[in-house]
Amino acid sequence: MSGDETTTTPPVLRVRGVHKSFDGTAVLSGIDLDIASHQVVVAIGASGSGKSTLLKTINLLERVDDGQIFLKGDDITDPRVNVDSVRSRIGVVFQQFNLFPHLSVIDNVTLASRKVHGVARDEAEAEAERWLDRIGLRAKLKDYPDRLSGGQQQRVAIVRAILSKPELLLLDEITSALDPLLVGEVLDLVRDLKTAGATILMTTHEMSFARSAADHVVFLHQGVILEQGAPDAFFGAPTAPETREYLSRLHAG
Ligand SMILES: Nc1ncnc2c1ncn2[C@@H]1O[C@H](COP(=O)(O)OP(=O)(O)OP(=O)(O)O)[C@@H](O)[C@H]1O
Ligand SMILES: [Mg+2]
């Protein structure tokens, strides 16, 4: 019985045959991707290859033209789906502008858990303080975002996303807008989340992070997954010429 359970448990995310065009131009051309529980999948690829669009279709910020996306077996691309309820199951952090500027750190991070998930203020704040303590920002909980460095803001944004206990975390270029000195502290927090068992789909240009922290790497090229694999195999011996060229351009740059 238990053996059957493991084989029948759906992955956290299942993307099947997803297509998306903008104004007649194909941006995603048949994406298939599975992410199992506790896996960290890193999507890489040149600018314009469709990485952000893929994340947006999963968060229902963009509707797919064709194909299906399942969250723990639920078809979230079904037009009858409740968009807010799907979004409440997914945590999202973007490159920048993640925090509400008019709310303090503590209000920023507890707002969703209180308003969307109905957690009592005391309970939400206690948990938020534990996380802020862990990332060294407990002293800043009454501050407004403009008093924080970019790296601190992104760590607060990540804490905000995980306090809602999302089934899936989408991180889109969360370190791209940061001073290089601040990138490490944000990526360290992502490593902590991985250790804590989070299921993550992220895009990044930080290849050393992808190599050391990802369970699986996918390379997008013109809207298709051209190559994918475990990081050691993927980075150690990429096979597609496009992958090699992309990686060598990064090293050259
Ligand atoms: N809302 C939109 N309307 C029209 N075109 C769009 C829209 N969103 C994205 N595109 C186009 O789709 C293509 C893929 O964009 P996307 O943002 O997914 O790329 P990306 O891989 O995330 O690139 P980057 O590394 O620069 O973030 C681009 O050519 C972009 O101009
Ligand atoms: Mg992008």
Side-chain angles (χ1 to χ4, degrees):
M1 208 46 191
S2 60
D4 285 345
E5 262 170 43
T6 40
T7 52
T8 55
T9 303
V12 173
L13 181 74
R14 168 160 285 174
V15 177
R16 280 292 173 274
V18 161
H19 287 254
K20 177 71 185 175
S21 299
F22 292 111
D23 311 319
T25 303
V27 170
L28 299 177
S29 303
I31 300 287
D32 294 319
L33 179 66
D34 278 1
I35 304 186
S37 195
H38 313 307
Q39 259 201 324
V40 175
V41 173
V42 174
I44 65 171
S47 183
S49 56
K51 303 179 301 292
S52 295
T53 304
L54 175 61
L55 267 55
K56 285 177 186 164
T57 61
I58 297 165
N59 194 34
L60 306 184
L61 285 169
E62 297 287 357
R63 286 270 174 205
V64 302
D65 298 332
D66 197 12
Q68 287 173 298
I69 301 173
F70 301 90
L71 184 63
K72 292 206 171 149
D74 302 329
D75 180 0
I76 62 172
T77 41
D78 184 323
R80 291 164 299 183
V81 87
N82 180 320
V83 171
D84 288 339
S85 106
V86 170
R87 290 207 187 124
S88 74
R89 300 169 61 188
I90 301 176
V92 186
V93 182
F94 295 109
Q95 185 173 342
Q96 54 196 141
F97 309 122
N98 285 296
L99 299 176
F100 301 116
H102 59 290
L103 293 180
S104 65
V105 164
I106 190 78
D107 286 345
N108 257 289
V109 298
T110 58
L111 189 71
S113 48
R114 291 193 288 117
K115 302 287 182 201
V116 180
H117 298 275
V119 179
R121 181 186 281 270
D122 285 359
E123 196 185 321
E125 292 191 348
E127 197 182 4
E129 285 178 32
R130 278 197 296 278
W131 269 102
L132 292 171
D133 198 27
R134 193 160 155 180
I135 61 170
L137 292 179
R138 194 193 177 104
K140 303 231 175 233
L141 58 89
K142 295 240 163 58
D143 282 3
Y144 286 82
D146 64 359
R147 302 279 300 272
L148 273 53
S149 74
Q152 290 172 336
Q153 290 186 36
Q154 281 304 59
R155 285 183 289 146
V156 170
I158 294 167
V159 165
R160 181 175 67 175
I162 56 172
L163 280 178
S164 294
K165 313 227 168 18
E167 293 161 48
L168 174 69
L169 201 52
L170 302 175
L171 307 177
D172 193 6
E173 307 279 3
I174 54 170
T175 60
S176 297
L178 298 180
D179 181 303
L181 289 171
L182 304 178
V183 168
E185 64 188 27
V186 174
L187 294 179
D188 284 348
L189 177 55
V190 178
R191 277 180 221 276
D192 284 353
L193 300 185
K194 174 184 161 82
T195 307
T199 307
I200 300 175
L201 172 58
M202 66 187 289
T203 73
T204 185
H205 290 111
E206 300 291 332
M207 293 304 130
S208 61
F209 175 82
R211 187 162 193 161
S212 61
D215 297 302
H216 192 76
V217 179
V218 300
F219 175 67
L220 263 87
H221 179 73
Q222 298 177 357
V224 299
I225 296 179
L226 198 68
E227 184 161 2
Q228 58 183 311
D232 279 348
F234 180 92
F235 290 107
T239 53
E242 293 87 349
T243 318
R244 291 173 185 221
E245 198 204 321
Y246 173 74
L247 293 175
S248 67
R249 262 192 289 135
L250 281 182
H251 292 308

